[in-house]
PDB file of all heavy atoms in Angstrom:
ATOM      1  N   ARG C  30     142.086  42.656 108.399  1.00 98.00           N
ATOM      2  CA  ARG C  30     142.815  43.060 107.203  1.00 98.00           C
ATOM      3  C   ARG C  30     143.968  44.026 107.509  1.00 98.00           C
ATOM      4  O   ARG C  30     144.526  44.643 106.599  1.00 98.00           O
ATOM      5  CB  ARG C  30     141.814  43.676 106.203  1.00 98.00           C
ATOM      6  CG  ARG C  30     140.875  42.601 105.655  1.00 98.00           C
ATOM      7  CD  ARG C  30     139.525  43.114 105.199  1.00 98.00           C
ATOM      8  NE  ARG C  30     138.715  41.998 104.697  1.00 98.00           N
ATOM      9  CZ  ARG C  30     138.030  41.156 105.485  1.00 98.00           C
ATOM     10  NH1 ARG C  30     138.013  41.317 106.791  1.00 98.00           N
ATOM     11  NH2 ARG C  30     137.351  40.149 104.953  1.00 98.00           N
ATOM     12  N   ALA C  31     144.342  44.128 108.792  1.00 98.00           N
ATOM     13  CA  ALA C  31     145.331  45.117 109.219  1.00 98.00           C
ATOM     14  C   ALA C  31     146.751  44.792 108.794  1.00 98.00           C
ATOM     15  O   ALA C  31     147.654  45.613 108.985  1.00 98.00           O
ATOM     16  CB  ALA C  31     145.271  45.283 110.739  1.00 98.00           C
ATOM     17  N   SER C  32     146.989  43.622 108.188  1.00 98.00           N
ATOM     18  CA  SER C  32     148.336  43.323 107.691  1.00 98.00           C
ATOM     19  C   SER C  32     148.655  44.094 106.417  1.00 98.00           C
ATOM     20  O   SER C  32     149.811  44.126 105.977  1.00 98.00           O
ATOM     21  CB  SER C  32     148.498  41.823 107.447  1.00 98.00           C
ATOM     22  OG  SER C  32     147.548  41.364 106.506  1.00 98.00           O
ATOM     23  N   ALA C  33     147.649  44.713 105.792  1.00 98.00           N
ATOM     24  CA  ALA C  33     147.920  45.607 104.656  1.00 98.00           C
ATOM     25  C   ALA C  33     148.855  46.718 105.108  1.00 98.00           C
ATOM     26  O   ALA C  33     148.762  47.204 106.242  1.00 98.00           O
ATOM     27  CB  ALA C  33     146.616  46.200 104.134  1.00 98.00           C
ATOM     28  N   GLY C  34     149.745  47.136 104.231  1.00 98.00           N
ATOM     29  CA  GLY C  34     150.630  48.244 104.585  1.00 98.00           C
ATOM     30  C   GLY C  34     149.848  49.485 104.936  1.00 98.00           C
ATOM     31  O   GLY C  34     150.195  50.222 105.867  1.00 98.00           O
ATOM     32  N   LEU C  35     148.765  49.729 104.205  1.00 98.00           N
ATOM     33  CA  LEU C  35     147.885  50.865 104.462  1.00 98.00           C
ATOM     34  C   LEU C  35     146.465  50.469 104.110  1.00 98.00           C
ATOM     35  O   LEU C  35     146.211  49.967 103.012  1.00 98.00           O
ATOM     36  CB  LEU C  35     148.312  52.078 103.620  1.00 98.00           C
ATOM     37  CG  LEU C  35     147.505  53.361 103.813  1.00 98.00           C
ATOM     38  CD1 LEU C  35     147.715  53.937 105.209  1.00 98.00           C
ATOM     39  CD2 LEU C  35     147.854  54.397 102.748  1.00 98.00           C
ATOM     40  N   ILE C  36     145.542  50.682 105.033  1.00 99.00           N
ATOM     41  CA  ILE C  36     144.115  50.504 104.751  1.00 99.00           C
ATOM     42  C   ILE C  36     143.528  51.862 104.408  1.00 99.00           C
ATOM     43  O   ILE C  36     143.698  52.822 105.165  1.00 99.00           O
ATOM     44  CB  ILE C  36     143.364  49.916 105.958  1.00 99.00           C
ATOM     45  CG1 ILE C  36     143.798  48.477 106.220  1.00 99.00           C
ATOM     46  CG2 ILE C  36     141.855  49.972 105.730  1.00 99.00           C
ATOM     47  CD1 ILE C  36     143.147  47.858 107.455  1.00 99.00           C
ATOM     48  N   ILE C  37     142.854  51.937 103.274  1.00 99.00           N
ATOM     49  CA  ILE C  37     142.064  53.114 102.932  1.00 99.00           C
ATOM     50  C   ILE C  37     140.618  52.737 103.214  1.00 99.00           C
ATOM     51  O   ILE C  37     140.085  51.785 102.627  1.00 99.00           O
ATOM     52  CB  ILE C  37     142.246  53.521 101.461  1.00 99.00           C
ATOM     53  CG1 ILE C  37     143.729  53.733 101.153  1.00 99.00           C
ATOM     54  CG2 ILE C  37     141.445  54.786 101.147  1.00 99.00           C
ATOM     55  CD1 ILE C  37     144.048  53.783  99.670  1.00 99.00           C
ATOM     56  N   SER C  38     139.987  53.435 104.141  1.00 98.00           N
ATOM     57  CA  SER C  38     138.645  53.044 104.563  1.00 98.00           C
ATOM     58  C   SER C  38     137.662  53.100 103.395  1.00 98.00           C
ATOM     59  O   SER C  38     137.899  53.766 102.380  1.00 98.00           O
ATOM     60  CB  SER C  38     138.135  53.974 105.671  1.00 98.00           C
ATOM     61  OG  SER C  38     137.607  55.180 105.121  1.00 98.00           O
ATOM     62  N   GLU C  39     136.554  52.408 103.577  1.00 98.00           N
ATOM     63  CA  GLU C  39     135.456  52.568 102.638  1.00 98.00           C
ATOM     64  C   GLU C  39     135.087  54.050 102.520  1.00 98.00           C
ATOM     65  O   GLU C  39     135.317  54.842 103.439  1.00 98.00           O
ATOM     66  CB  GLU C  39     134.250  51.777 103.122  1.00 98.00           C
ATOM     67  CG  GLU C  39     133.690  52.261 104.459  1.00 98.00           C
ATOM     68  CD  GLU C  39     132.966  51.172 105.204  1.00 98.00           C
ATOM     69  OE1 GLU C  39     131.825  50.854 104.836  1.00 98.00           O
ATOM     70  OE2 GLU C  39     133.549  50.620 106.151  1.00 98.00           O
ATOM     71  N   ALA C  40     134.552  54.441 101.388  1.00 98.00           N
ATOM     72  CA  ALA C  40     134.150  55.829 101.184  1.00 98.00           C
ATOM     73  C   ALA C  40     133.202  56.256 102.296  1.00 98.00           C
ATOM     74  O   ALA C  40     132.233  55.554 102.593  1.00 98.00           O
ATOM     75  CB  ALA C  40     133.492  55.990  99.821  1.00 98.00           C
ATOM     76  N   THR C  41     133.486  57.420 102.906  1.00 98.00           N
ATOM     77  CA  THR C  41     132.803  57.836 104.130  1.00 98.00           C
ATOM     78  C   THR C  41     132.234  59.234 103.945  1.00 98.00           C
ATOM     79  O   THR C  41     132.961  60.177 103.624  1.00 98.00           O
ATOM     80  CB  THR C  41     133.798  57.789 105.313  1.00 98.00           C
ATOM     81  OG1 THR C  41     134.355  56.469 105.389  1.00 98.00           O
ATOM     82  CG2 THR C  41     133.118  58.115 106.615  1.00 98.00           C
ATOM     83  N   ASN C  42     130.926  59.365 104.134  1.00 98.00           N
ATOM     84  CA  ASN C  42     130.223  60.607 103.826  1.00 98.00           C
ATOM     85  C   ASN C  42     130.692  61.756 104.709  1.00 98.00           C
ATOM     86  O   ASN C  42     130.771  61.613 105.935  1.00 98.00           O
ATOM     87  CB  ASN C  42     128.718  60.411 104.019  1.00 98.00           C
ATOM     88  CG  ASN C  42     128.169  59.277 103.180  1.00 98.00           C
ATOM     89  OD1 ASN C  42     128.367  59.234 101.978  1.00 98.00           O
ATOM     90  ND2 ASN C  42     127.474  58.338 103.814  1.00 98.00           N
ATOM     91  N   ILE C  43     130.917  62.916 104.089  1.00 98.00           N
ATOM     92  CA  ILE C  43     131.341  64.106 104.838  1.00 98.00           C
ATOM     93  C   ILE C  43     130.163  64.883 105.393  1.00 98.00           C
ATOM     94  O   ILE C  43     130.338  65.786 106.217  1.00 98.00           O
ATOM     95  CB  ILE C  43     132.203  65.040 103.984  1.00 98.00           C
ATOM     96  CG1 ILE C  43     131.375  65.619 102.812  1.00 98.00           C
ATOM     97  CG2 ILE C  43     133.457  64.336 103.480  1.00 98.00           C
ATOM     98  CD1 ILE C  43     131.961  66.854 102.191  1.00 98.00           C
ATOM     99  N   SER C  44     128.945  64.543 104.942  1.00 98.00           N
ATOM    100  CA  SER C  44     127.748  65.275 105.364  1.00 98.00           C
ATOM    101  C   SER C  44     126.528  64.471 104.940  1.00 98.00           C
ATOM    102  O   SER C  44     126.631  63.542 104.129  1.00 98.00           O
ATOM    103  CB  SER C  44     127.696  66.660 104.711  1.00 98.00           C
ATOM    104  OG  SER C  44     127.552  66.539 103.296  1.00 98.00           O
ATOM    105  N   ARG C  45     125.372  64.850 105.455  1.00 97.00           N
ATOM    106  CA  ARG C  45     124.127  64.209 105.012  1.00 97.00           C
ATOM    107  C   ARG C  45     123.916  64.478 103.528  1.00 97.00           C
ATOM    108  O   ARG C  45     123.491  63.596 102.769  1.00 97.00           O
ATOM    109  CB  ARG C  45     122.953  64.755 105.835  1.00 97.00           C
ATOM    110  CG  ARG C  45     121.576  64.290 105.385  1.00 97.00           C
ATOM    111  CD  ARG C  45     121.346  62.795 105.620  1.00 97.00           C
ATOM    112  NE  ARG C  45     120.048  62.373 105.114  1.00 97.00           N
ATOM    113  CZ  ARG C  45     118.917  62.408 105.817  1.00 97.00           C
ATOM    114  NH1 ARG C  45     118.929  62.851 107.072  1.00 97.00           N
ATOM    115  NH2 ARG C  45     117.780  61.995 105.286  1.00 97.00           N
ATOM    116  N   GLN C  46     124.235  65.683 103.095  1.00 98.00           N
ATOM    117  CA  GLN C  46     124.091  66.023 101.679  1.00 98.00           C
ATOM    118  C   GLN C  46     124.983  65.160 100.801  1.00 98.00           C
ATOM    119  O   GLN C  46     124.650  64.869  99.655  1.00 98.00           O
ATOM    120  CB  GLN C  46     124.438  67.501 101.463  1.00 98.00           C
ATOM    121  CG  GLN C  46     124.235  67.994 100.050  1.00 98.00           C
ATOM    122  CD  GLN C  46     124.922  69.327  99.829  1.00 98.00           C
ATOM    123  OE1 GLN C  46     126.139  69.414  99.787  1.00 98.00           O
ATOM    124  NE2 GLN C  46     124.123  70.378  99.722  1.00 98.00           N
ATOM    125  N   GLY C  47     126.119  64.735 101.339  1.00 98.00           N
ATOM    126  CA  GLY C  47     127.082  63.963 100.556  1.00 98.00           C
ATOM    127  C   GLY C  47     126.719  62.511 100.365  1.00 98.00           C
ATOM    128  O   GLY C  47     127.404  61.788  99.647  1.00 98.00           O
ATOM    129  N   ARG C  48     125.620  62.056 100.978  1.00 97.00           N
ATOM    130  CA  ARG C  48     125.247  60.643 100.964  1.00 97.00           C
ATOM    131  C   ARG C  48     124.476  60.282  99.710  1.00 97.00           C
ATOM    132  O   ARG C  48     123.539  60.976  99.328  1.00 97.00           O
ATOM    133  CB  ARG C  48     124.403  60.327 102.203  1.00 97.00           C
ATOM    134  CG  ARG C  48     124.109  58.861 102.395  1.00 97.00           C
ATOM    135  CD  ARG C  48     123.421  58.609 103.735  1.00 97.00           C
ATOM    136  NE  ARG C  48     122.057  59.136 103.759  1.00 97.00           N
ATOM    137  CZ  ARG C  48     121.042  58.509 104.348  1.00 97.00           C
ATOM    138  NH1 ARG C  48     121.234  57.363 104.970  1.00 97.00           N
ATOM    139  NH2 ARG C  48     119.845  59.044 104.352  1.00 97.00           N
ATOM    140  N   GLY C  49     124.854  59.171  99.082  1.00 97.00           N
ATOM    141  CA  GLY C  49     124.149  58.734  97.883  1.00 97.00           C
ATOM    142  C   GLY C  49     123.686  57.297  97.916  1.00 97.00           C
ATOM    143  O   GLY C  49     123.004  56.838  97.006  1.00 97.00           O
ATOM    144  N   TYR C  50     124.078  56.569  98.960  1.00 96.00           N
ATOM    145  CA  TYR C  50     123.708  55.160  99.086  1.00 96.00           C
ATOM    146  C   TYR C  50     123.349  54.896 100.546  1.00 96.00           C
ATOM    147  O   TYR C  50     124.050  55.355 101.457  1.00 96.00           O
ATOM    148  CB  TYR C  50     124.869  54.245  98.681  1.00 96.00           C
ATOM    149  CG  TYR C  50     125.415  54.516  97.298  1.00 96.00           C
ATOM    150  CD1 TYR C  50     126.397  55.483  97.094  1.00 96.00           C
ATOM    151  CD2 TYR C  50     124.955  53.805  96.198  1.00 96.00           C
ATOM    152  CE1 TYR C  50     126.910  55.741  95.831  1.00 96.00           C
ATOM    153  CE2 TYR C  50     125.466  54.049  94.925  1.00 96.00           C
ATOM    154  CZ  TYR C  50     126.439  55.019  94.751  1.00 96.00           C
ATOM    155  OH  TYR C  50     126.936  55.268  93.504  1.00 96.00           O
ATOM    156  N   ALA C  51     122.285  54.151 100.764  1.00 96.00           N
ATOM    157  CA  ALA C  51     121.877  53.831 102.128  1.00 96.00           C
ATOM    158  C   ALA C  51     122.919  52.972 102.833  1.00 96.00           C
ATOM    159  O   ALA C  51     123.626  52.184 102.197  1.00 96.00           O
ATOM    160  CB  ALA C  51     120.540  53.097 102.104  1.00 96.00           C
ATOM    161  N   PHE C  52     123.009  53.160 104.140  1.00 97.00           N
ATOM    162  CA  PHE C  52     123.822  52.308 105.024  1.00 97.00           C
ATOM    163  C   PHE C  52     125.325  52.444 104.792  1.00 97.00           C
ATOM    164  O   PHE C  52     126.092  51.540 105.119  1.00 97.00           O
ATOM    165  CB  PHE C  52     123.376  50.839 104.928  1.00 97.00           C
ATOM    166  CG  PHE C  52     121.892  50.669 105.030  1.00 97.00           C
ATOM    167  CD1 PHE C  52     121.150  50.140 103.979  1.00 97.00           C
ATOM    168  CD2 PHE C  52     121.209  51.076 106.168  1.00 97.00           C
ATOM    169  CE1 PHE C  52     119.765  50.001 104.060  1.00 97.00           C
ATOM    170  CE2 PHE C  52     119.815  50.942 106.264  1.00 97.00           C
ATOM    171  CZ  PHE C  52     119.101  50.411 105.207  1.00 97.00           C
ATOM    172  N   THR C  53     125.739  53.572 104.228  1.00 98.00           N
ATOM    173  CA  THR C  53     127.169  53.875 104.137  1.00 98.00           C
ATOM    174  C   THR C  53     127.550  54.748 105.324  1.00 98.00           C
ATOM    175  O   THR C  53     126.745  55.550 105.802  1.00 98.00           O
ATOM    176  CB  THR C  53     127.498  54.596 102.815  1.00 98.00           C
ATOM    177  OG1 THR C  53     126.615  55.716 102.650  1.00 98.00           O
ATOM    178  CG2 THR C  53     127.338  53.650 101.632  1.00 98.00           C
ATOM    179  N   PRO C  54     128.778  54.626 105.835  1.00 98.00           N
ATOM    180  CA  PRO C  54     129.150  55.333 107.058  1.00 98.00           C
ATOM    181  C   PRO C  54     129.420  56.813 106.826  1.00 98.00           C
ATOM    182  O   PRO C  54     129.738  57.246 105.705  1.00 98.00           O
ATOM    183  CB  PRO C  54     130.419  54.613 107.508  1.00 98.00           C
ATOM    184  CG  PRO C  54     131.025  54.131 106.235  1.00 98.00           C
ATOM    185  CD  PRO C  54     129.859  53.749 105.357  1.00 98.00           C
ATOM    186  N   GLY C  55     129.299  57.585 107.915  1.00 98.00           N
ATOM    187  CA  GLY C  55     129.625  59.011 107.880  1.00 98.00           C
ATOM    188  C   GLY C  55     130.782  59.317 108.808  1.00 98.00           C
ATOM    189  O   GLY C  55     131.219  58.474 109.598  1.00 98.00           O
ATOM    190  N   ILE C  56     131.278  60.565 108.715  1.00 98.00           N
ATOM    191  CA  ILE C  56     132.335  61.039 109.608  1.00 98.00           C
ATOM    192  C   ILE C  56     132.102  62.527 109.883  1.00 98.00           C
ATOM    193  O   ILE C  56     132.986  63.357 109.759  1.00 98.00           O
ATOM    194  CB  ILE C  56     133.741  60.745 109.022  1.00 98.00           C
ATOM    195  CG1 ILE C  56     134.851  61.035 110.039  1.00 98.00           C
ATOM    196  CG2 ILE C  56     133.955  61.469 107.694  1.00 98.00           C
ATOM    197  CD1 ILE C  56     134.871  60.132 111.235  1.00 98.00           C
ATOM    198  N   TYR C  57     130.844  62.855 110.266  1.00 98.00           N
ATOM    199  CA  TYR C  57     130.523  64.270 110.494  1.00 98.00           C
ATOM    200  C   TYR C  57     129.772  64.528 111.788  1.00 98.00           C
ATOM    201  O   TYR C  57     129.407  65.668 112.068  1.00 98.00           O
ATOM    202  CB  TYR C  57     129.762  64.854 109.296  1.00 98.00           C
ATOM    203  CG  TYR C  57     128.505  64.124 108.879  1.00 98.00           C
ATOM    204  CD1 TYR C  57     127.254  64.479 109.388  1.00 98.00           C
ATOM    205  CD2 TYR C  57     128.570  63.092 107.958  1.00 98.00           C
ATOM    206  CE1 TYR C  57     126.097  63.821 108.992  1.00 98.00           C
ATOM    207  CE2 TYR C  57     127.418  62.413 107.555  1.00 98.00           C
ATOM    208  CZ  TYR C  57     126.194  62.783 108.075  1.00 98.00           C
ATOM    209  OH  TYR C  57     125.046  62.120 107.685  1.00 98.00           O
ATOM    210  N   THR C  58     129.528  63.479 112.605  1.00 98.00           N
ATOM    211  CA  THR C  58     128.845  63.681 113.887  1.00 98.00           C
ATOM    212  C   THR C  58     129.638  62.994 115.007  1.00 98.00           C
ATOM    213  O   THR C  58     130.521  62.160 114.748  1.00 98.00           O
ATOM    214  CB  THR C  58     127.429  63.083 113.876  1.00 98.00           C
ATOM    215  OG1 THR C  58     127.522  61.648 113.846  1.00 98.00           O
ATOM    216  CG2 THR C  58     126.620  63.568 112.685  1.00 98.00           C
ATOM    217  N   ASP C  59     129.278  63.317 116.244  1.00 98.00           N
ATOM    218  CA  ASP C  59     129.907  62.667 117.393  1.00 98.00           C
ATOM    219  C   ASP C  59     129.686  61.161 117.354  1.00 98.00           C
ATOM    220  O   ASP C  59     130.578  60.377 117.703  1.00 98.00           O
ATOM    221  CB  ASP C  59     129.332  63.221 118.702  1.00 98.00           C
ATOM    222  CG  ASP C  59     129.765  64.652 118.989  1.00 98.00           C
ATOM    223  OD1 ASP C  59     130.725  65.122 118.348  1.00 98.00           O
ATOM    224  OD2 ASP C  59     129.130  65.298 119.854  1.00 98.00           O
ATOM    225  N   ALA C  60     128.471  60.742 116.943  1.00 98.00           N
ATOM    226  CA  ALA C  60     128.168  59.315 116.887  1.00 98.00           C
ATOM    227  C   ALA C  60     129.045  58.595 115.864  1.00 98.00           C
ATOM    228  O   ALA C  60     129.477  57.452 116.091  1.00 98.00           O
ATOM    229  CB  ALA C  60     126.689  59.107 116.555  1.00 98.00           C
TER     230      ALA C  60
END
């Protein structure tokens, strides 16, 4: 889908506390 002028990623959890749905990605650890 990279031909889009701009991709806005799927909503990405900032912390474990910020998570509300299983199997959604995070952006707060090395992994």
Side-chain angles (χ1 to χ4, degrees):
R30 291 154 180 81
S32 59
L35 182 67
I36 292 177
I37 305 165
S38 82
E39 63 206 283
T41 304
N42 303 307
I43 65 161
S44 65
R45 174 68 183 272
Q46 184 195 70
R48 188 173 70 141
Y50 305 86
F52 312 117
T53 51
I56 189 67
Y57 55 92
T58 69
D59 289 345

